[in-house]
Amino acid sequence: MRSDAEFKGFKDRLKEFFRSRATYVGLLVAAVVGVLIWRLYDMQIVNGEEYKQKASETVLTTAELTVKARRGNIYDCNGVLLATTRTSYKVNMVNTPDEQAFRDGMYLRLIELFDANNDTYTNFLRRYITPELEWGSSLAGEEREAARSNWINTLVSGQRKSDRDNIVSAYDAFNYLRNTVLKIDGSYTDEQAYKIMIIRYATFSYGLSSLTPMELATDASKETMEYLTAHSYEFPGISTEEVYYRVYVDDAYASHIIGYVHAISQEEYEALKEEGYSRDDIIGKTGVEKAAEAYLKGVNGVRTVYRDADGVIKTLSYTPPVAGNDVYLTIDYSLQSKTIQILEETIADIVSMKDDVKNFGDANAASAVVENAKTGEILAMASYPYYDNNIFVAPSTDSAAQQAIIDLFQDPSAPALNRATQGLYPIGSTIKPLISIAALESETITSKTVVDCQRRMTISGRIHSCLGRHGEVSLITALAKSCNVYFYTVGVNTGIDTIDHWAKSFGLGEKTGIEIAEYAGYRSNPATMKLRERDIYHIWSDSDTAQSSIGQLYTLFTPLQLSNYAAALSNGGYLNTPHILAKVVNQAGEIIYTDDEVNTAKKPTGASAWALGLVKEGMTEMVRQSANVSAAFKSFPDGFVCAKTGTPETGMEAFGESSHSVFICYGPSTDPEIAVSVLIEHGSSGSNASPAAGKIFDAYFHTDTEIGGRTFKGYRYGWESLFL
């Protein structure tokens, strides 16, 4: 037995033990370690198989879902919105273990909800059986009898073969699908059953995953999204997702410039899938939408989901999408819109002057380009007729839009063609300033060289004509009066090789480098003759050079090349790089691209100030001596505008087809701001295009423009001080 002293000592040590802070820390650590050991024992030994199965299920049932990025906006140079996106919603569905009878009722409610809110939803069944219980577009008509037979065979697959003989009409097929294949409750009406079958047929044909969702509605309203969210317990397996759709905002006048987006093709997908594109992406097809695709498209996000052991879908990881960048153009939509309207009015005026001699009233299309003569910025690039690019972003269920697309590409007036960059035309006498430079720089002529014009002359055994008998003319007068005989003579003496060299230097018959699709065209020369001449024995002659010297024969250039050529004539002989992309701004407001380098990327043509000065004098005199042209620019002082007309023949004039009308100009002559080209198809006479150019000058220099109730500020550079 312990003594009292020993017990007292033990008691004191025990008190000291419990008074120590280290004791409590040690006990806490021991408790935590004990819990962890027990938990580990439970997971690995007691319930190891269960947890192993859950982990396996989680890993095996994951899926990566694409989260679409919003496409960037497109603006004009003043910040006028031309293309944007609207927010909409997709309705998705995954499989759940609910009874089929319950799900059928849910499907009916979904379709009725979609219909009530005018949502766009998928109906694969419509291809085969319409809501009116007739054969759908894939099976209707005698010519699709084999297709009907094949489709019916898919219905009876796995059923009694004798059932095949009982399906004759679309209604028979509907009843068989309803009663035998899908076994939909007989209490539903035919109309209700069809709505249920819209979703049931999709799941029957393509299956339904319990993890990867099936799209039911591709473009649902906010009302639909809010209802499904608020009543989610009534719609198991149904979810909504925010999506974006392209919208073109009041920009039909710039449809060729903006272009359009459409579903990615298989070829495009194969080429771009490594860049993050999906099979269901949209992509720029034409215009700026295509040229700036890399800037506009954004980066899609990724949501990785999994189904846990209790069947609940959860997010494992999420990478948010990055919206596309906003693109600003050099185009002034005010000027662009006014230019289209001017072309339309000009065509109407020309048609009204029909005389059935030279003007057969067949003018129906036109193009005009307004270019900053110093930088190559395209301020307006009009192509008439134009089209509504919204038809390309309408849902496939919009039959009117789909028909409009078909009509667009079948229209003989080719409204889908961007005539400014892809229209190829002979340019007539507008080539004469170029011929003048070639002759002057090669020392074939001087400013005083005289040619006697007696209206006709024979070259290589062929008669070549002029529009008048001008007598003895020198360069300035020949340009002012557009004397063909002068330029036949000068062109032949200069030689086609020299002419071709200078035409190429001024960018004619060459791609300009603009961002959107363009054609190079053709310079009239022996090489082009071999490409385009049917007579393989034709040998180039002086007669061919003469025709080329007035912009005929094989000459085919674009209106954009003409404006750039006019700009080079005006700015001291420097060839611009025409462009329409001004800047790109990311979603943080940072400028990631500007056209500063392009604005200064000038290529010298090699033309001397002396030659350009003489050509300018001749083009200025041409405005003075032409009554139609001087009237077109009556609001400007004398000498403000330098211009040249052209009346290229189509070769069909004898059959009642008018010649084209071409006009180039620039101004102010002392310090050029803009260069303009106008081309009216079958406009009859070059001077007929001059009123359009005059109105474009008015719109640019001293007027505001009102469009759709909005007033856009015009340009006011104080040009009057240059002359007053």
Side-chain angles (χ1 to χ4, degrees):
M1 181 175 294
R2 294 180 180 177
S3 66
D4 291 340
E6 290 176 339
F7 179 76
K8 186 176 183 300
F10 172 75
K11 185 177 180 181
D12 290 341
R13 287 194 298 274
L14 188 62
K15 287 181 179 180
E16 183 179 349
F17 175 79
F18 283 105
R19 286 174 183 163
S20 172
R21 182 177 299 174
T23 300
Y24 290 102
V25 172
L27 290 173
L28 179 61
V29 170
V32 171
V33 171
V35 170
L36 291 176
I37 291 172
W38 168 252
R39 184 61 177 161
L40 186 61
Y41 174 79
D42 178 69
M43 293 176 67
Q44 292 186 344
I45 307 300
V46 178
N47 296 302
E49 288 302 318
E50 179 183 348
Y51 284 110
K52 181 179 180 181
Q53 180 65 25
K54 284 186 176 182
S56 175
E57 289 177 354
T58 298
V59 172
L60 292 176
T61 55
T62 61
E64 287 190 351
L65 307 179
T66 300
V67 183
K68 299 295 185 183
R70 180 178 65 79
R71 196 170 179 85
N73 294 335
I74 301 175
Y75 300 90
D76 86 334
C77 65
N78 295 313
V80 175
L81 182 63
L82 301 176
T84 186
T85 54
R86 63 178 175 86
T87 302
S88 188
Y89 301 90
K90 284 197 304 185
V91 178
N92 300 320
M93 179 176 71
V94 294
N95 202 0
T96 63
D98 299 283
E99 294 291 334
Q100 189 61 57
F102 169 81
R103 296 181 67 82
D104 285 349
M106 182 180 74
Y107 295 162
L108 176 59
R109 292 181 62 195
L110 279 170
I111 297 300
E112 289 178 341
L113 179 64
F114 296 158
D115 286 336
N117 291 331
N118 295 315
D119 299 329
T120 299
Y121 60 89
T122 304
N123 181 1
F124 294 115
L125 183 59
R126 178 189 290 273
R127 301 175 187 171
Y128 310 105
I129 303 175
T130 68
E132 296 76 27
L133 306 186
E134 302 289 343
W135 290 123
S137 58
S138 296
L139 304 180
E142 294 182 3
E143 70 279 7
R144 292 187 174 87
E145 183 177 354
R148 284 197 301 275
S149 180
N150 290 335
W151 185 73
I152 292 171
N153 285 336
T154 64
L155 292 187
V156 302
S157 177
Q159 308 290 337
R160 293 175 300 177
K161 292 185 178 180
S162 59
D163 292 348
R164 172 68 182 82
D165 299 330
N166 297 324
I167 302 175
V168 178
S169 67
Y171 189 67
D172 294 336
F174 165 77
N175 279 323
Y176 188 81
L177 186 59
R178 170 183 177 164
N179 300 321
T180 304
V181 179
L182 302 180
K183 297 181 174 60
I184 295 174
D185 193 286
S187 63
Y188 292 112
T189 66
D190 284 350
E191 180 182 0
Q192 291 173 328
Y194 183 88
K195 290 180 178 179
I196 295 170
M197 289 164 63
I198 289 173
I199 299 179
R200 287 289 303 278
Y201 184 75
T203 62
F204 167 74
S205 301
Y206 302 104
L208 182 61
S209 169
S210 61
L211 188 61
T212 303
M214 170 185 286
E215 290 184 6
L216 298 182
T218 56
D219 189 0
S221 65
K222 184 178 181 181
E223 290 75 16
T224 295
M225 179 275 294
E226 291 176 341
Y227 183 87
L228 292 175
T229 301
H231 298 79
S232 59
Y233 63 93
E234 300 175 25
F235 296 91
I238 302 299
S239 62
T240 60
E241 174 187 350
E242 190 173 80
V243 291
Y244 305 100
Y245 289 94
R246 202 59 161 166
V247 177
Y248 298 108
V249 186
D250 189 29
D251 76 331
Y253 290 146
S255 55
H256 296 93
I257 300 171
I258 302 302
Y260 57 84
V261 296
H262 207 52
I264 192 170
S265 68
Q266 182 62 31
E267 291 181 357
E268 289 169 331
Y269 170 71
E270 292 297 336
L272 297 171
K273 61 184 178 182
E274 299 302 323
E275 297 180 24
Y277 283 87
S278 304
R279 292 183 185 275
D280 61 345
D281 272 337
I282 63 167
I283 191 171
K285 297 288 187 175
T286 63
V288 172
E289 290 280 29
K290 181 175 182 179
E293 171 70 18
Y295 289 122
L296 292 166
K297 73 181 183 70
V299 180
N300 290 336
V302 177
R303 185 188 303 277
T304 303
V305 297
Y306 69 96
R307 179 181 291 275
D308 67 13
D310 297 321
V312 179
I313 296 178
K314 296 180 179 179
T315 297
L316 183 64
S317 64
Y318 176 65
T319 302
V322 179
N325 306 293
D326 293 336
V327 171
Y328 289 78
L329 306 182
T330 61
I331 299 294
D332 181 329
Y333 191 62
S334 166
L335 185 63
Q336 173 76 18
S337 302
K338 189 65 176 176
T339 300
I340 286 282
Q341 294 169 1
I342 289 168
L343 292 180
E344 193 169 7
E345 294 166 0
T346 302
I347 288 173
D349 290 342
I350 293 172
V351 171
S352 71
M353 296 186 292
K354 174 183 176 182
D355 58 16
D356 287 327
V357 178
K358 291 186 176 180
N359 182 351
F360 297 97
D362 51 344
N364 64 352
S367 176
V369 180
V370 184
E371 178 178 335
N372 184 318
K374 299 176 181 178
T375 65
E377 294 167 293
I378 302 301
L379 308 177
M381 187 165 62
S383 183
Y384 179 86
Y386 51 90
Y387 64 95
D388 180 6
N389 40 10
N390 276 301
I391 62 177
F392 290 97
V393 294
S396 59
T397 54
D398 187 336
S399 57
Q402 303 314 309
Q403 186 60 49
I405 293 174
I406 295 172
D407 294 343
L408 175 66
F409 291 110
Q410 291 181 346
D411 191 327
S413 66
L417 175 69
N418 185 354
R419 287 171 161 81
T421 62
Q422 295 175 304
L424 297 177
Y425 305 94
I427 67 168
S429 294
T430 57
I431 203 171
K432 290 174 180 175
L434 183 282
I435 303 301
S436 302
I437 290 173
L440 289 167
E441 297 291 3
S442 63
E443 299 183 351
T444 302
I445 63 169
T446 68
S447 62
K448 298 181 180 180
T449 299
V450 171
V451 173
D452 185 18
C453 171
Q454 295 301 318
R455 192 160 188 166
R456 289 182 177 83
M457 65 183 301
T458 301
I459 304 174
S460 300
R462 297 182 60 186
I463 296 176
H464 294 259
S465 301
C466 192
L467 296 176
R469 182 179 284 105
H470 300 117
E472 292 188 346
V473 292
S474 58
L475 178 64
I476 304 303
T477 303
L479 282 170
K481 295 183 179 296
S482 199
C483 177
N484 283 351
V485 168
Y486 180 91
F487 287 98
Y488 290 146
T489 304
V490 169
V492 169
N493 291 340
T494 302
I496 193 61
D497 290 341
T498 300
I499 292 171
D500 190 65
H501 164 78
W502 284 100
K504 183 176 182 179
S505 295
F506 275 82
L508 298 174
E510 300 285 320
K511 289 187 176 182
T512 66
I514 196 167
E515 300 92 337
I516 62 178
E518 64 173 331
Y519 292 148
Y522 300 92
R523 290 189 299 277
S524 190
N525 56 35
T528 301
M529 179 189 73
K530 292 179 180 179
L531 290 174
R532 301 182 60 83
E533 180 60 70
R534 294 181 180 179
D535 182 1
I536 61 174
Y537 300 106
H538 183 180
I539 298 175
W540 188 271
S541 68
D542 285 347
S543 174
D544 298 317
T545 301
Q547 285 293 310
S548 302
S549 299
I550 62 167
Q552 295 286 168
L553 202 58
Y554 308 113
T555 300
L556 291 173
F557 302 145
T558 67
L560 177 62
Q561 289 174 3
L562 289 180
S563 70
N564 210 35
Y565 156 54
L569 291 173
S570 75
N571 65 18
Y574 291 94
L575 193 64
N576 294 322
T577 301
H579 57 284
I580 54 178
L581 298 185
K583 66 178 179 179
V584 178
V585 181
N586 66 20
Q587 295 303 307
E590 301 167 333
I591 298 176
I592 60 175
Y593 168 82
T594 69
D595 62 350
D596 291 343
E597 290 187 12
V598 186
N599 288 338
T600 57
K602 302 177 184 299
K603 181 180 178 181
T605 62
S608 65
W610 166 70
L612 291 167
L614 290 172
V615 167
K616 180 171 78 170
E617 187 178 343
M619 294 174 70
T620 305
E621 190 63 27
M622 181 263 161
V623 176
R624 294 190 181 105
Q625 294 195 25
S626 170
N628 287 344
V629 177
S630 59
F633 294 95
K634 63 183 178 181
S635 62
F636 297 92
D638 178 59
F640 186 89
V641 180
C642 301
K644 186 69 191 77
T645 57
T647 310
E649 296 179 350
T650 65
M652 298 296 289
E653 283 76 6
F655 301 95
E657 185 177 283
S658 305
S659 299
H660 296 320
S661 177
V662 187
F663 191 84
I664 61 171
C665 59
Y666 64 84
S669 59
T670 54
D671 186 18
E673 290 281 351
I674 59 171
V676 174
S677 67
V678 179
L679 188 144
I680 311 291
E681 291 185 21
H682 309 298
S684 176
S685 169
S687 62
N688 284 345
S690 61
K695 292 176 182 177
I696 291 170
F697 262 57
D698 285 338
Y700 178 89
F701 283 105
H702 52 226
T703 62
D704 293 343
T705 305
E706 185 173 326
I707 301 170
R710 295 181 296 170
T711 299
F712 299 96
K713 187 167 180 58
Y715 289 81
R716 297 182 183 277
Y717 286 105
W719 53 265
E720 296 92 336
S721 63
L722 298 173
F723 292 88
L724 301 179

